[in-house]
Amino acid sequence: MSTAHVRALLDHIDAELPRESWPHWTEGWPQEIEAALLDAAFSARATYGTPTTGVRAVITRWRDHRAAPLDDLTALAAHADEPEGLLAVLNNRQRVPGNYTTKAEAVATAARSLTELGCITSADLRDDDAQRSAIVAVPGFGAATWECFAMQLGVPTAASRAVVCDFIAEALALESPATETQADDLVAAAAVRLEVTGTTFTHAVWRYQRRQQRAAGAR
């Protein structure tokens, strides 16, 4: 990929997800597995909001309640049998897609399932079938929940890589998706130009592309 390709990618980003208005130019929630799980649940079919509203407000309330680093899923799992306490802390009664339960209850259930597999901190997260199933099996959660959860913690999956490759193909008007090698090279080059990390770049692009896919009816 040439310098012209990098320039075209940067121009596409300026047009579609400028840093001054797109809220996802962050690394997600590195080393904060509780925040990542809350984000994956509460961002589903909801407005992401500002630092004091929406998803980030939910995470802030939990952070204030915990008064500790948010990297221990046992704290959320403790509410699985009696989710009312978690609902009170988060002050949010949104329900999961399908209206099965509240998002708070789904988070607690998923946290317990993950801890039972030995996934307690962000260092324990793996893109494997067992951990993925622990998320996807929760009523109202799905593959997108898992992808979002893993992305927040900087754990790439085959699906998230494909989303980034699709974005690059669209940005460069390629006839087929970019290869992973091409995508990696372009992400690295564009991140340097934008003075952000590759993780930040990938997170912003993934969030944007997922929104576009949802708008087009993808699941």
Side-chain angles (χ1 to χ4, degrees):
M1 291 286 174
S2 66
T3 301
H5 287 121
V6 176
R7 183 68 263 166
L9 177 58
L10 293 173
D11 288 344
H12 187 69
I13 287 168
D14 285 342
E16 298 296 330
L17 54 154
R19 284 187 288 175
E20 60 271 18
S21 59
W22 184 242
H24 300 296
W25 283 100
T26 71
E27 291 196 339
W29 302 102
Q31 299 180 357
E32 290 199 309
I33 197 168
E34 297 162 63
L37 184 54
L38 288 166
D39 188 309
F42 282 89
S43 61
R45 298 187 183 179
T47 301
Y48 200 73
T50 70
T52 57
T53 64
V55 176
R56 283 175 283 184
V58 168
I59 294 170
T60 296
R61 293 182 196 117
W62 181 245
R63 190 184 303 281
D64 291 344
H65 170 76
R66 289 272 282 119
L70 301 186
D71 202 32
D72 184 346
L73 282 180
T74 61
L76 288 168
H79 294 276
D81 290 327
E82 297 182 5
E84 282 299 321
L86 183 58
L87 281 163
V89 171
L90 301 183
N91 191 28
N92 186 306
R93 290 185 172 270
Q94 288 181 7
R95 300 184 73 82
V96 296
N99 204 34
Y100 300 100
T101 65
T102 63
K103 291 179 177 180
E105 184 175 351
V107 163
T109 300
R112 180 167 63 184
S113 295
L114 285 168
T115 60
E116 289 173 349
L117 293 172
C119 180
I120 296 171
T121 73
S122 55
D124 301 321
L125 189 68
R126 303 286 184 272
D127 181 26
D128 63 33
D129 289 342
Q131 292 188 18
R132 184 180 188 278
S133 294
I135 295 289
V136 174
V138 176
F141 283 0
T145 314
W146 167 253
E147 296 298 332
C148 186
F149 176 50
M151 175 62 67
Q152 302 308 306
L153 294 168
V155 176
T157 68
S160 65
R161 290 190 187 97
V163 167
V164 174
C165 288
D166 287 345
F167 175 85
I168 289 172
E170 291 176 14
L172 304 184
L174 301 178
E175 293 183 358
S176 59
T179 67
E180 286 192 16
T181 299
Q182 290 171 332
D184 288 345
D185 290 345
L186 281 167
V187 165
V192 169
R193 298 284 189 91
L194 293 171
E195 298 183 339
V196 300
T197 65
T199 301
T200 294
F201 183 93
T202 300
H203 176 234
V205 164
W206 183 86
R207 287 278 199 176
Y208 170 83
Q209 195 71 0
R210 279 296 302 160
R211 187 183 71 169
Q212 297 301 102
Q213 290 173 346
R214 287 196 302 271
R219 293 292 182 267

Short mmCIF file of all heavy atoms in Angstrom, two decimals, residues 82-136:
data_model
loop_
_atom_site.label_atom_id
_atom_site.label_comp_id
_atom_site.label_asym_id
_atom_site.label_seq_id
_atom_site.Cartn_x
_atom_site.Cartn_y
_atom_site.Cartn_z
N GLU A 82 -29.23 -11.62 42.77
CA GLU A 82 -30.09 -10.52 43.22
C GLU A 82 -29.64 -9.24 42.52
O GLU A 82 -28.91 -8.42 43.08
CB GLU A 82 -30.00 -10.37 44.74
CG GLU A 82 -30.53 -11.58 45.50
CD GLU A 82 -30.49 -11.38 47.01
OE1 GLU A 82 -30.15 -10.27 47.45
OE2 GLU A 82 -30.80 -12.34 47.73
N PRO A 83 -30.09 -9.04 41.27
CA PRO A 83 -29.61 -7.91 40.47
C PRO A 83 -30.14 -6.54 40.89
O PRO A 83 -29.67 -5.53 40.37
CB PRO A 83 -30.07 -8.27 39.06
CG PRO A 83 -31.27 -9.14 39.27
CD PRO A 83 -30.97 -9.94 40.50
N GLU A 84 -31.10 -6.49 41.79
CA GLU A 84 -31.67 -5.20 42.16
C GLU A 84 -30.61 -4.26 42.73
O GLU A 84 -30.67 -3.04 42.53
CB GLU A 84 -32.80 -5.38 43.17
CG GLU A 84 -34.11 -5.84 42.55
CD GLU A 84 -34.65 -4.85 41.52
OE1 GLU A 84 -34.54 -3.62 41.75
OE2 GLU A 84 -35.17 -5.30 40.49
N GLY A 85 -29.66 -4.81 43.46
CA GLY A 85 -28.60 -3.96 44.01
C GLY A 85 -27.78 -3.31 42.91
O GLY A 85 -27.43 -2.12 42.99
N LEU A 86 -27.48 -4.08 41.86
CA LEU A 86 -26.73 -3.53 40.74
C LEU A 86 -27.56 -2.50 39.98
O LEU A 86 -27.05 -1.45 39.57
CB LEU A 86 -26.30 -4.66 39.80
CG LEU A 86 -25.43 -4.26 38.60
CD1 LEU A 86 -24.15 -3.57 39.05
CD2 LEU A 86 -25.11 -5.49 37.75
N LEU A 87 -28.83 -2.78 39.82
CA LEU A 87 -29.72 -1.82 39.16
C LEU A 87 -29.72 -0.48 39.90
O LEU A 87 -29.71 0.59 39.29
CB LEU A 87 -31.14 -2.38 39.10
CG LEU A 87 -31.42 -3.41 38.01
CD1 LEU A 87 -32.70 -4.18 38.32
CD2 LEU A 87 -31.54 -2.72 36.66
N ALA A 88 -29.73 -0.55 41.22
CA ALA A 88 -29.75 0.68 42.02
C ALA A 88 -28.46 1.46 41.84
O ALA A 88 -28.47 2.70 41.72
CB ALA A 88 -29.97 0.33 43.49
N VAL A 89 -27.34 0.76 41.82
CA VAL A 89 -26.05 1.44 41.66
C VAL A 89 -25.93 2.08 40.29
O VAL A 89 -25.53 3.25 40.15
CB VAL A 89 -24.88 0.45 41.87
CG1 VAL A 89 -23.55 1.10 41.48
CG2 VAL A 89 -24.84 -0.03 43.31
N LEU A 90 -26.29 1.34 39.26
CA LEU A 90 -26.13 1.84 37.89
C LEU A 90 -27.19 2.86 37.51
O LEU A 90 -27.00 3.66 36.58
CB LEU A 90 -26.17 0.67 36.89
CG LEU A 90 -25.11 -0.42 37.09
CD1 LEU A 90 -25.24 -1.48 36.00
CD2 LEU A 90 -23.71 0.16 37.12
N ASN A 91 -28.33 2.83 38.21
CA ASN A 91 -29.42 3.78 37.96
C ASN A 91 -29.82 3.77 36.48
O ASN A 91 -30.01 4.81 35.85
CB ASN A 91 -29.02 5.19 38.39
CG ASN A 91 -30.20 6.15 38.40
OD1 ASN A 91 -31.35 5.74 38.60
ND2 ASN A 91 -29.94 7.43 38.18
N ASN A 92 -29.95 2.56 35.95
CA ASN A 92 -30.32 2.41 34.54
C ASN A 92 -31.07 1.10 34.39
O ASN A 92 -30.53 0.03 34.71
CB ASN A 92 -29.05 2.41 33.67
CG ASN A 92 -29.37 2.40 32.19
OD1 ASN A 92 -30.10 1.54 31.71
ND2 ASN A 92 -28.81 3.36 31.46
N ARG A 93 -32.30 1.19 33.92
CA ARG A 93 -33.14 -0.01 33.78
C ARG A 93 -33.39 -0.37 32.32
O ARG A 93 -34.40 -1.00 32.00
CB ARG A 93 -34.46 0.18 34.53
CG ARG A 93 -34.28 0.19 36.04
CD ARG A 93 -35.59 0.26 36.80
NE ARG A 93 -35.37 0.08 38.22
CZ ARG A 93 -35.38 -1.09 38.84
NH1 ARG A 93 -35.63 -2.20 38.15
NH2 ARG A 93 -35.15 -1.18 40.14
N GLN A 94 -32.50 0.02 31.44
CA GLN A 94 -32.64 -0.39 30.05
C GLN A 94 -32.65 -1.92 29.97
O GLN A 94 -31.99 -2.60 30.75
CB GLN A 94 -31.47 0.14 29.22
CG GLN A 94 -31.50 1.62 28.96
CD GLN A 94 -30.32 2.05 28.10
OE1 GLN A 94 -29.56 1.23 27.59
NE2 GLN A 94 -30.16 3.35 27.95
N ARG A 95 -33.38 -2.41 28.97
CA ARG A 95 -33.48 -3.85 28.80
C ARG A 95 -32.71 -4.29 27.56
O ARG A 95 -32.49 -3.51 26.64
CB ARG A 95 -34.96 -4.27 28.71
CG ARG A 95 -35.74 -3.89 29.98
CD ARG A 95 -37.16 -4.38 29.94
NE ARG A 95 -37.28 -5.82 30.11
CZ ARG A 95 -37.26 -6.44 31.29
NH1 ARG A 95 -37.10 -5.75 32.41
NH2 ARG A 95 -37.39 -7.76 31.36
N VAL A 96 -32.30 -5.52 27.56
CA VAL A 96 -31.53 -6.06 26.44
C VAL A 96 -32.43 -6.20 25.22
O VAL A 96 -33.66 -6.25 25.34
CB VAL A 96 -30.92 -7.44 26.79
CG1 VAL A 96 -29.93 -7.33 27.93
CG2 VAL A 96 -32.03 -8.45 27.11
N PRO A 97 -31.84 -6.27 24.02
CA PRO A 97 -32.65 -6.57 22.83
C PRO A 97 -33.44 -7.86 23.03
O PRO A 97 -32.91 -8.86 23.53
CB PRO A 97 -31.58 -6.73 21.74
CG PRO A 97 -30.45 -5.85 22.20
CD PRO A 97 -30.43 -6.00 23.69
N GLY A 98 -34.71 -7.82 22.69
CA GLY A 98 -35.58 -8.96 22.94
C GLY A 98 -36.34 -8.84 24.24
O GLY A 98 -37.24 -9.64 24.51
N ASN A 99 -35.96 -7.85 25.07
CA ASN A 99 -36.68 -7.53 26.30
C ASN A 99 -36.68 -8.67 27.32
O ASN A 99 -37.58 -8.79 28.15
CB ASN A 99 -38.14 -7.15 25.97
CG ASN A 99 -38.77 -6.28 27.04
OD1 ASN A 99 -38.09 -5.46 27.66
ND2 ASN A 99 -40.06 -6.45 27.25
N TYR A 100 -35.63 -9.51 27.30
CA TYR A 100 -35.58 -10.66 28.21
C TYR A 100 -35.36 -10.23 29.66
O TYR A 100 -36.04 -10.71 30.57
CB TYR A 100 -34.44 -11.60 27.80
CG TYR A 100 -34.58 -12.17 26.42
CD1 TYR A 100 -33.85 -11.63 25.35
CD2 TYR A 100 -35.43 -13.24 26.15
CE1 TYR A 100 -33.97 -12.14 24.07
CE2 TYR A 100 -35.55 -13.76 24.88
CZ TYR A 100 -34.82 -13.21 23.84
OH TYR A 100 -34.94 -13.71 22.57
N THR A 101 -34.38 -9.37 29.87
CA THR A 101 -34.02 -8.91 31.22
C THR A 101 -33.50 -7.49 31.10
O THR A 101 -33.36 -6.95 30.01
CB THR A 101 -32.88 -9.77 31.83
OG1 THR A 101 -31.69 -9.58 31.05
CG2 THR A 101 -33.23 -11.24 31.86
N THR A 102 -33.17 -6.91 32.25
CA THR A 102 -32.46 -5.64 32.20
C THR A 102 -31.02 -5.90 31.76
O THR A 102 -30.49 -7.01 31.91
CB THR A 102 -32.44 -4.95 33.58
OG1 THR A 102 -31.73 -5.78 34.50
CG2 THR A 102 -33.85 -4.68 34.08
N LYS A 103 -30.39 -4.87 31.24
CA LYS A 103 -28.99 -5.00 30.86
C LYS A 103 -28.12 -5.27 32.09
O LYS A 103 -27.13 -6.02 32.00
CB LYS A 103 -28.53 -3.74 30.13
CG LYS A 103 -29.16 -3.57 28.75
CD LYS A 103 -28.70 -2.30 28.06
CE LYS A 103 -29.29 -2.20 26.66
NZ LYS A 103 -28.86 -0.96 25.95
N ALA A 104 -28.48 -4.68 33.21
CA ALA A 104 -27.71 -4.90 34.44
C ALA A 104 -27.73 -6.37 34.83
O ALA A 104 -26.70 -6.95 35.19
CB ALA A 104 -28.27 -4.04 35.57
N GLU A 105 -28.90 -6.99 34.77
CA GLU A 105 -29.00 -8.41 35.11
C GLU A 105 -28.20 -9.27 34.14
O GLU A 105 -27.53 -10.23 34.54
CB GLU A 105 -30.46 -8.85 35.12
CG GLU A 105 -30.67 -10.29 35.57
CD GLU A 105 -32.13 -10.67 35.69
OE1 GLU A 105 -33.00 -9.78 35.60
OE2 GLU A 105 -32.40 -11.88 35.88
N ALA A 106 -28.27 -8.92 32.85
CA ALA A 106 -27.51 -9.68 31.85
C ALA A 106 -26.01 -9.56 32.10
O ALA A 106 -25.26 -10.53 31.95
CB ALA A 106 -27.86 -9.17 30.45
N VAL A 107 -25.56 -8.37 32.49
CA VAL A 107 -24.14 -8.17 32.80
C VAL A 107 -23.72 -9.06 33.96
O VAL A 107 -22.67 -9.72 33.92
CB VAL A 107 -23.87 -6.68 33.14
CG1 VAL A 107 -22.54 -6.52 33.87
CG2 VAL A 107 -23.87 -5.85 31.87
N ALA A 108 -24.52 -9.08 35.02
CA ALA A 108 -24.18 -9.89 36.18
C ALA A 108 -24.14 -11.38 35.83
O ALA A 108 -23.25 -12.12 36.28
CB ALA A 108 -25.18 -9.64 37.30
N THR A 109 -25.09 -11.82 35.01
CA THR A 109 -25.12 -13.22 34.58
C THR A 109 -23.89 -13.57 33.76
O THR A 109 -23.25 -14.61 33.97
CB THR A 109 -26.39 -13.49 33.76
OG1 THR A 109 -27.54 -13.23 34.57
CG2 THR A 109 -26.43 -14.94 33.28
N ALA A 110 -23.54 -12.69 32.81
CA ALA A 110 -22.36 -12.94 31.98
C ALA A 110 -21.09 -12.94 32.82
O ALA A 110 -20.19 -13.77 32.62
CB ALA A 110 -22.27 -11.87 30.90
N ALA A 111 -21.01 -12.02 33.78
CA ALA A 111 -19.83 -11.96 34.64
C ALA A 111 -19.67 -13.25 35.43
O ALA A 111 -18.56 -13.77 35.56
CB ALA A 111 -19.94 -10.76 35.59
N ARG A 112 -20.77 -13.77 35.95
CA ARG A 112 -20.68 -15.03 36.70
C ARG A 112 -20.23 -16.18 35.79
O ARG A 112 -19.38 -16.99 36.18
CB ARG A 112 -22.01 -15.37 37.35
CG ARG A 112 -21.96 -16.68 38.14
CD ARG A 112 -23.16 -16.87 39.04
NE ARG A 112 -24.40 -16.96 38.29
CZ ARG A 112 -25.61 -17.05 38.87
NH1 ARG A 112 -25.71 -17.05 40.19
NH2 ARG A 112 -26.70 -17.12 38.14
N SER A 113 -20.78 -16.24 34.59
CA SER A 113 -20.39 -17.30 33.66
C SER A 113 -18.91 -17.23 33.32
O SER A 113 -18.22 -18.26 33.25
CB SER A 113 -21.22 -17.21 32.38
OG SER A 113 -22.59 -17.46 32.64
N LEU A 114 -18.41 -16.03 33.12
CA LEU A 114 -16.98 -15.88 32.81
C LEU A 114 -16.10 -16.25 34.00
O LEU A 114 -15.08 -16.92 33.84
CB LEU A 114 -16.70 -14.44 32.36
CG LEU A 114 -17.17 -14.08 30.95
CD1 LEU A 114 -17.09 -12.58 30.72
CD2 LEU A 114 -16.34 -14.81 29.89
N THR A 115 -16.50 -15.82 35.18
CA THR A 115 -15.67 -16.14 36.36
C THR A 115 -15.64 -17.64 36.61
O THR A 115 -14.63 -18.18 37.07
CB THR A 115 -16.17 -15.41 37.62
OG1 THR A 115 -17.52 -15.79 37.90
CG2 THR A 115 -16.08 -13.90 37.45
N GLU A 116 -16.73 -18.32 36.30
CA GLU A 116 -16.76 -19.78 36.46
C GLU A 116 -15.78 -20.47 35.51
O GLU A 116 -15.36 -21.60 35.77
CB GLU A 116 -18.18 -20.30 36.25
CG GLU A 116 -19.13 -19.94 37.40
CD GLU A 116 -20.57 -20.30 37.12
OE1 GLU A 116 -20.88 -20.65 35.95
OE2 GLU A 116 -21.40 -20.22 38.04
N LEU A 117 -15.42 -19.78 34.44
CA LEU A 117 -14.43 -20.30 33.49
C LEU A 117 -13.01 -19.87 33.86
O LEU A 117 -12.05 -20.21 33.15
CB LEU A 117 -14.75 -19.81 32.08
CG LEU A 117 -16.03 -20.34 31.43
CD1 LEU A 117 -16.29 -19.62 30.12
CD2 LEU A 117 -15.93 -21.85 31.20
N GLY A 118 -12.89 -19.10 34.93
CA GLY A 118 -11.57 -18.61 35.33
C GLY A 118 -11.19 -17.29 34.72
O GLY A 118 -10.06 -16.83 34.86
N CYS A 119 -12.13 -16.67 34.00
CA CYS A 119 -11.88 -15.35 33.41
C CYS A 119 -12.36 -14.29 34.40
O CYS A 119 -13.55 -14.00 34.46
CB CYS A 119 -12.60 -15.21 32.07
SG CYS A 119 -12.33 -13.60 31.28
N ILE A 120 -11.44 -13.75 35.15
CA ILE A 120 -11.77 -12.80 36.21
C ILE A 120 -11.24 -11.41 35.90
O ILE A 120 -11.95 -10.41 36.08
CB ILE A 120 -11.22 -13.30 37.56
CG1 ILE A 120 -11.92 -14.63 37.94
CG2 ILE A 120 -11.42 -12.25 38.66
CD1 ILE A 120 -11.31 -15.32 39.13
N THR A 121 -10.03 -11.32 35.42
CA THR A 121 -9.44 -10.03 35.08
C THR A 121 -9.21 -9.94 33.57
O THR A 121 -9.35 -10.92 32.84
CB THR A 121 -8.09 -9.84 35.79
OG1 THR A 121 -7.10 -10.68 35.17
CG2 THR A 121 -8.19 -10.19 37.27
N SER A 122 -8.84 -8.76 33.12
CA SER A 122 -8.60 -8.55 31.69
C SER A 122 -7.48 -9.45 31.17
O SER A 122 -7.50 -9.85 30.00
CB SER A 122 -8.27 -7.08 31.42
OG SER A 122 -7.18 -6.66 32.20
N ALA A 123 -6.54 -9.79 32.02
CA ALA A 123 -5.44 -10.65 31.60
C ALA A 123 -5.91 -12.07 31.30
O ALA A 123 -5.21 -12.84 30.63
CB ALA A 123 -4.36 -10.68 32.67
N ASP A 124 -7.10 -12.43 31.78
CA ASP A 124 -7.62 -13.78 31.59
C ASP A 124 -8.43 -13.93 30.30
O ASP A 124 -8.78 -15.05 29.92
CB ASP A 124 -8.53 -14.17 32.76
CG ASP A 124 -7.82 -14.15 34.10
OD1 ASP A 124 -6.65 -14.56 34.15
OD2 ASP A 124 -8.44 -13.70 35.09
N LEU A 125 -8.75 -12.82 29.65
CA LEU A 125 -9.64 -12.88 28.49
C LEU A 125 -8.93 -13.48 27.29
O LEU A 125 -7.82 -13.09 26.94
CB LEU A 125 -10.16 -11.49 28.13
CG LEU A 125 -11.26 -11.49 27.06
CD1 LEU A 125 -12.54 -12.13 27.60
CD2 LEU A 125 -11.55 -10.08 26.56
N ARG A 126 -9.60 -14.43 26.65
CA ARG A 126 -9.10 -15.07 25.44
C ARG A 126 -10.21 -15.13 24.42
O ARG A 126 -11.39 -15.26 24.77
CB ARG A 126 -8.64 -16.51 25.74
CG ARG A 126 -7.58 -16.64 26.81
CD ARG A 126 -6.21 -16.18 26.32
NE ARG A 126 -5.19 -16.40 27.35
CZ ARG A 126 -4.89 -15.53 28.31
NH1 ARG A 126 -5.56 -14.37 28.38
NH2 ARG A 126 -3.96 -15.79 29.20
N ASP A 127 -9.85 -15.07 23.17
CA ASP A 127 -10.85 -15.24 22.11
C ASP A 127 -11.00 -16.74 21.85
O ASP A 127 -10.48 -17.28 20.88
CB ASP A 127 -10.41 -14.51 20.84
CG ASP A 127 -11.44 -14.65 19.72
OD1 ASP A 127 -12.63 -14.86 20.04
OD2 ASP A 127 -11.05 -14.58 18.54
N ASP A 128 -11.70 -17.41 22.77
CA ASP A 128 -11.92 -18.84 22.59
C ASP A 128 -13.41 -19.15 22.68
O ASP A 128 -14.21 -18.32 23.09
CB ASP A 128 -11.10 -19.68 23.58
CG ASP A 128 -11.47 -19.44 25.04
OD1 ASP A 128 -12.66 -19.18 25.34
OD2 ASP A 128 -10.58 -19.54 25.90
N ASP A 129 -13.77 -20.36 22.29
CA ASP A 129 -15.17 -20.73 22.19
C ASP A 129 -15.88 -20.69 23.54
O ASP A 129 -17.04 -20.27 23.64
CB ASP A 129 -15.32 -22.12 21.58
CG ASP A 129 -14.97 -22.15 20.10
OD1 ASP A 129 -14.95 -21.08 19.48
OD2 ASP A 129 -14.70 -23.25 19.58
N ALA A 130 -15.19 -21.12 24.60
CA ALA A 130 -15.84 -21.19 25.91
C ALA A 130 -16.19 -19.79 26.42
O ALA A 130 -17.32 -19.55 26.87
CB ALA A 130 -14.93 -21.91 26.90
N GLN A 131 -15.23 -18.88 26.37
CA GLN A 131 -15.50 -17.53 26.87
C GLN A 131 -16.51 -16.81 25.97
O GLN A 131 -17.39 -16.09 26.46
CB GLN A 131 -14.20 -16.74 26.98
CG GLN A 131 -13.28 -17.26 28.08
CD GLN A 131 -12.09 -16.36 28.32
OE1 GLN A 131 -12.08 -15.19 27.93
NE2 GLN A 131 -11.07 -16.89 28.98
N ARG A 132 -16.39 -17.02 24.69
CA ARG A 132 -17.35 -16.41 23.77
C ARG A 132 -18.76 -16.91 24.08
O ARG A 132 -19.71 -16.12 24.15
CB ARG A 132 -16.98 -16.75 22.33
CG ARG A 132 -17.86 -16.08 21.28
CD ARG A 132 -17.41 -16.50 19.88
NE ARG A 132 -18.08 -15.75 18.84
CZ ARG A 132 -19.30 -16.04 18.38
NH1 ARG A 132 -19.97 -17.07 18.87
NH2 ARG A 132 -19.84 -15.30 17.43
N SER A 133 -18.90 -18.20 24.30
CA SER A 133 -20.21 -18.78 24.58
C SER A 133 -20.79 -18.26 25.89
O SER A 133 -22.01 -18.12 26.03
CB SER A 133 -20.12 -20.31 24.63
OG SER A 133 -19.79 -20.83 23.36
N ALA A 134 -19.92 -17.96 26.86
CA ALA A 134 -20.39 -17.43 28.14
C ALA A 134 -21.12 -16.11 27.95
O ALA A 134 -22.06 -15.80 28.69
CB ALA A 134 -19.21 -17.25 29.09
N ILE A 135 -20.70 -15.33 26.96
CA ILE A 135 -21.36 -14.06 26.65
C ILE A 135 -22.57 -14.29 25.76
O ILE A 135 -23.69 -13.84 26.04
CB ILE A 135 -20.38 -13.10 25.96
CG1 ILE A 135 -19.24 -12.70 26.90
CG2 ILE A 135 -21.12 -11.86 25.45
CD1 ILE A 135 -19.64 -11.80 28.03
N VAL A 136 -22.37 -14.99 24.67
CA VAL A 136 -23.41 -15.15 23.65
C VAL A 136 -24.62 -15.91 24.19
O VAL A 136 -25.76 -15.68 23.76
CB VAL A 136 -22.83 -15.87 22.41
CG1 VAL A 136 -23.91 -16.18 21.39
CG2 VAL A 136 -21.75 -15.00 21.77
#
